[in-house]
Amino acid sequence: MNVQPNNVPASGRVSHARGNPILTVTLGRQDAMLDLSSLRLSGDFDVWATAAGSAAAPADARPTDAIAGELMASHKLGVYAAIDQLVFRHAETKQVIEHIRHYGRFMSSYMPTMAGTQDTAGHLSKTALIMPNYQAFRDSVIRNTRNSVFSIPLPAGLTLGVSKLPLDKVPLEIEIHLAPDSQFFYSSDATTTNISNAFYEMSNLEVTCEVETGVSSPDTGVLEFNSITSYFSTLESSNSIINFNLGLSKVLASFVNFVPANFINNLSQDGFLTYMPTLKPNAAGTGDGGVANLETISFLRNGERFPSSFEVESVHDATTNATSVVDPQVIKGFLNSIIPETQHTRTSASPLTTNRNFTGNQNDATGYRFIPDTGAVYGVGVLYDMLDSEGVDFSSSQFSIQMKNGLVDQNPISAYLFIKSKVVVAWSADRGVQVVV
């Protein structure tokens, strides 16, 4: 089944810059079973150097070395960088089934964790426009002289954890919020004069999926899946604590990734960077910006360390062991929080992408954009339930992460927290649809 978005303008072109920040796709009530894993968003992707877009003269329309030569975007995300929020809801009652905010930040950790370098150099470069390095992305996508065709699945708890959805009982509405251009793009040398009017645009959009028709479903049923919930916090001190009342009863795992707060929605920096917390670079972006090392990490429940009763300590010590190597226990916990170790078969995370050799500078020779492969793959995470069963009850318990670190210059660091938990969608003829978290 091919379904076009409900709110595409007459031109058929959609962009955040032209006032179309939300796409809505409705899979209405029908006698069919939807295969959620088959959902894909397809279309054409264009990058324009000036505000005139496709109306500009052909020689001036697209980025080149001479026109908007500094223009770049996240090569580890490709088209996914254009999605800011992803919402699944009941098409009639508008009850939200799953809502992932900061979707680009979620995918910044998910994609490198789940895809190897062979994937980024192979099928992902065609389907999602994800490239193995920033130069390949610039030459193949940013400076493409024609549109780039894409066809991407929409990874979410609902699409990854459930096989079939009865559309006669739960008609589905998919809402995609597009990211602003200031978040999607960044400058390769931190100057924005020549790229301030650049924007991305999508056309020929459609959602494709597989449905099985003529299949009857019971009047009463339950759908259980692993949902993703997102939160935001800021770190500004050497003893940083993230606190939230999650209100979730079956928490399976959690992870957090970091980026300097002034990188977000900033054309001069990569807002999808997932590196260690860093100190503030100098005004020219050529010095300072070193790693603010996470010295100890503790996950807590109601103020007590949980599930581990000990702190995770860094192998790095500024006075006795100023090493640049990765913290293996930290990275192992982070990867396990996204996918359990027993199911993990490929990844781009390696000692090359998780070490301390780089800085938060653009122009420096050790700047973050020179991190090899898919770029930085760093985060902090914990797996609560390796069996993927009932998880941990945080419905009335406080969730916390305590991190002692090297943030001594009051450079604010944005921390994006993602919680994986079990959610139940129940429906019946007399009570309608209920979402239980």
Side-chain angles (χ1 to χ4, degrees):
M1 182 167 63
N2 298 342
V3 182
Q4 293 184 339
N6 306 339
N7 54 342
V8 173
S11 65
R13 296 180 174 275
V14 174
S15 69
H16 190 282
R18 297 295 175 86
N20 307 108
I22 299 176
L23 294 173
T24 304
V25 179
T26 303
L27 304 177
R29 189 181 294 272
Q30 54 190 290
D31 187 16
M33 296 289 288
L34 169 65
D35 183 353
L36 287 161
S37 64
S38 68
L39 279 170
R40 301 186 76 90
L41 176 68
S42 305
D44 297 334
F45 190 84
D46 288 284
V47 175
W48 304 108
T50 66
S54 57
D60 301 327
R62 306 212 182 245
T64 64
D65 191 46
I67 302 173
E70 306 89 351
L71 193 63
M72 270 300 306
S74 177
H75 65 277
K76 70 177 179 181
L77 285 180
V79 175
Y80 286 115
I83 303 178
D84 185 59
Q85 299 181 49
L86 181 62
V87 187
F88 295 94
R89 58 163 58 97
H90 192 288
E92 297 170 356
T93 65
K94 305 304 179 183
Q95 290 171 282
V96 174
I97 298 173
E98 183 176 22
H99 185 175
I100 306 178
R101 297 175 176 86
H102 318 302
Y103 188 73
R105 294 293 308 179
F106 166 71
M107 293 299 291
S108 293
S109 292
Y110 177 83
M111 286 304 297
T113 298
M114 300 297 292
T117 53
Q118 295 89 348
D119 299 308
T120 59
H123 67 96
L124 287 177
S125 66
K126 295 296 183 182
T127 59
L129 308 182
I130 293 173
M131 300 292 170
N133 58 67
Y134 77 95
Q135 290 176 319
F137 185 81
R138 179 195 64 189
D139 296 340
S140 301
V141 180
I142 297 294
R143 299 183 182 178
N144 194 350
T145 56
R146 53 169 297 169
N147 55 51
S148 302
V149 179
F150 68 91
S151 179
I152 56 172
L154 297 172
L158 186 64
T159 58
L160 294 174
V162 178
S163 55
K164 300 292 180 64
L165 180 71
L167 291 176
D168 61 332
K169 301 299 188 297
V170 189
L172 189 65
E173 181 178 277
I174 306 169
E175 191 174 272
I176 299 171
H177 296 234
L178 300 182
D181 299 290
S182 57
Q183 175 68 6
F184 181 86
F185 293 115
Y186 72 93
S187 170
S188 60
D189 62 3
T191 61
T192 63
T193 304
N194 299 324
I195 65 173
S196 58
N197 292 321
F199 69 99
Y200 68 87
E201 191 175 58
M202 300 182 187
S203 57
N204 297 322
L205 289 172
E206 64 178 16
V207 167
T208 59
C209 58
E210 296 180 4
V211 294
E212 186 178 358
T213 59
V215 179
S216 60
S217 58
D219 292 336
T220 302
V222 172
L223 195 68
E224 187 178 63
F225 63 95
N226 296 341
S227 179
I228 306 297
T229 310
S230 59
Y231 301 85
F232 175 82
S233 186
T234 302
L235 314 181
E236 291 190 85
S237 69
S238 58
N239 185 21
S240 299
I241 300 176
I242 299 174
N243 278 320
F244 285 103
N245 292 315
L246 303 180
L248 302 172
S249 61
K250 298 180 180 181
V251 175
L252 301 173
S254 66
F255 73 88
V256 59
N257 59 39
F258 310 99
V259 64
N262 64 342
F263 281 26
I264 302 300
N265 289 327
N266 183 354
L267 274 177
S268 65
Q269 304 288 352
D270 182 7
F272 293 113
L273 177 68
T274 53
Y275 195 39
M276 301 178 188
T278 58
L279 301 173
K280 186 177 182 179
N282 61 19
T286 57
D288 301 329
V291 169
N293 186 60
L294 296 182
E295 298 166 2
T296 63
I297 301 168
S298 300
F299 284 84
L300 303 97
R301 181 171 179 257
N302 285 335
E304 297 181 354
R305 291 174 187 158
F306 179 85
S308 299
S309 58
F310 55 85
E311 293 181 321
V312 176
E313 295 186 357
S314 172
V315 298
H316 178 278
D317 186 280
T319 57
T320 62
N321 187 32
T323 178
S324 63
V325 302
V326 64
D327 288 313
Q329 188 66 29
V330 174
I331 297 302
K332 180 180 179 180
F334 169 65
L335 298 180
N336 283 349
S337 68
I338 297 176
I339 179 171
E341 184 177 2
T342 56
Q343 303 172 29
H344 204 179
T345 58
R346 56 187 358 118
T347 184
S348 297
S350 73
L352 295 175
T353 59
T354 55
N355 58 56
R356 299 178 180 82
N357 289 328
F358 299 91
T359 65
N361 298 310
Q362 268 285 53
N363 297 335
D364 194 79
T366 58
Y368 61 80
R369 69 188 177 100
F370 297 111
I371 299 176
D373 296 337
T374 55
V377 186
Y378 185 85
V380 172
V382 64
L383 177 65
Y384 290 110
D385 188 344
M386 67 176 63
L387 300 178
D388 197 30
S389 54
E390 294 304 304
V392 175
D393 187 1
F394 277 94
S395 59
S396 58
S397 301
Q398 188 177 62
F399 169 90
S400 305
I401 310 175
Q402 183 177 16
M403 294 171 285
K404 296 179 181 179
N405 56 68
L407 287 174
V408 295
D409 63 349
Q410 296 182 337
N411 182 39
I413 301 297
S414 295
Y416 292 85
L417 173 67
F418 299 93
I419 305 293
K420 180 169 68 173
S421 63
K422 280 193 180 296
V423 170
V424 174
V425 177
W427 68 88
S428 64
D430 55 338
R431 295 186 179 181
V433 176
Q434 292 180 306
V435 180
V436 183
V437 297

